[in-house]
């Protein structure tokens, strides 16, 4: 039996591969090999699906990552920052999804609101971590810079590979803290 999560995961795959215009009932039912009845059972229509999909994106690619890092509350801020960056860099396939959501946000007010929440939550968490690193003079600026590096690295064609992005973060953090960072 196909669950609501299965529909949402299929939606994220279609979004990443083909963009928001492909998020049609027909495309999703083809992806899952199902009828429209299951779709309507879970979502009551396209609007409900898109709202649920944006919430699923937010939970899967923002909330879940922060919660994973915070499972170790005793860790210092630098360790948490390193773990967060490793989680973000672990799945290069997510780059296409991030690009697709940002493109969708340019065309759709609901997607824009979701993207704004995601950006705000990610930046706020980075600020919290950067403030916890005592040697950083401008922690809020550093947090924004780290996030902008990620967004920019995803937007260039081709996207910056994870190893190169990891090295850019290490250089940025070393310059900001005065100590070697990210091994």
């Amino acid at each position: 039996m196909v669950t609501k999560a299965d529909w949402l995961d299929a939606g994220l795959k279609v979004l990443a591969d083909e963009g928001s215009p492909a998020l049609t009932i027909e495309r999703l039912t083809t992806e899952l090999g199902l009828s429209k009845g299951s779709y309507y059972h879970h979502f009551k229509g396209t609007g409900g699906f898109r709202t649920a999909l944006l919430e699923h994106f937010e939970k899967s690619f923002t909330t879940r990552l922060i919660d994973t890092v915070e499972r170790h509350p005793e860790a210092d801020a630098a360790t948490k920052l390193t773990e967060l960056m490793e989680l973000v860099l672990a799945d290069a396939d997510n780059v296409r999804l991030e690009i697709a959501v940002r493109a969708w946000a340019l065309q759709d007010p609901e997607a824009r609101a979701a993207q704004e929440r995601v950006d705000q939550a990610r930046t706020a968490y980075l600020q919290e971590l950067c403030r916890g690193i005592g040697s950083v003079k401008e922690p809020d600026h550093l947090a924004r810079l780290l996030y902008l590096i990620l967004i920019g690295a995803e937007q260039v064609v081709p996207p910056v590979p994870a190893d190169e992005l990891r090295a850019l973060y290490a250089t940025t953090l070393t310059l900001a803290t005065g100590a070697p960072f990210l091994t």
Side-chain angles (χ1 to χ4, degrees):
M1 177 170 206
V2 175
T3 67
K4 184 175 183 178
D6 293 330
W7 282 102
L8 295 173
D9 289 340
L12 291 179
K13 181 184 180 314
V14 168
L15 179 61
D17 291 346
E18 302 172 41
S20 63
L23 290 174
T24 65
I25 296 171
E26 291 77 18
R27 179 66 188 90
L28 292 165
T29 55
T30 299
E31 181 73 23
L32 291 169
L34 296 170
S35 69
K36 294 179 182 180
S38 174
Y39 177 90
Y40 284 108
H41 168 74
H42 290 293
F43 303 106
K44 314 295 185 243
T46 302
F49 175 76
R50 289 177 179 235
T51 297
L53 185 65
L54 290 165
E55 290 171 359
H56 185 62
F57 168 75
E58 189 172 351
K59 288 176 185 166
S60 298
F61 296 95
T62 301
T63 308
R64 179 185 56 81
L65 297 178
I66 293 170
D67 289 348
T68 298
V69 172
E70 286 302 315
R71 284 193 302 214
H72 309 288
E74 72 286 351
D76 65 22
T79 301
K80 288 180 179 182
L81 184 58
T82 300
E83 182 180 358
L84 178 64
M85 288 185 196
E86 289 303 325
L87 287 170
V88 168
L89 297 175
D91 192 354
D93 290 339
N94 293 339
V95 170
R96 290 187 341 269
L97 179 59
E98 292 281 340
I99 292 169
V101 173
R102 286 189 185 284
W104 187 12
L106 293 173
Q107 306 296 321
D108 181 89
E110 184 178 15
R112 180 181 177 88
Q115 185 66 66
E116 287 176 5
R117 283 192 311 275
V118 164
D119 287 345
Q120 193 282 326
R122 291 173 178 177
T123 302
Y125 186 62
L126 283 170
Q127 288 172 334
E128 178 184 325
L129 294 178
C130 289
R131 288 175 191 149
I133 302 171
S135 59
V136 176
K137 291 181 180 156
E138 295 286 342
D140 290 354
H141 289 163
L142 176 60
R144 190 175 263 306
L145 177 61
L146 293 173
Y147 192 52
L148 292 174
I149 289 170
L150 176 67
I151 301 307
E154 292 173 344
Q155 297 297 318
V156 296
V157 178
V160 176
D163 287 344
E164 186 178 343
L165 188 53
R166 189 176 288 105
L168 288 168
Y169 280 136
T171 300
T172 302
L173 289 164
T174 298
L175 290 169
T177 64
F181 212 94
L182 293 176
T183 57

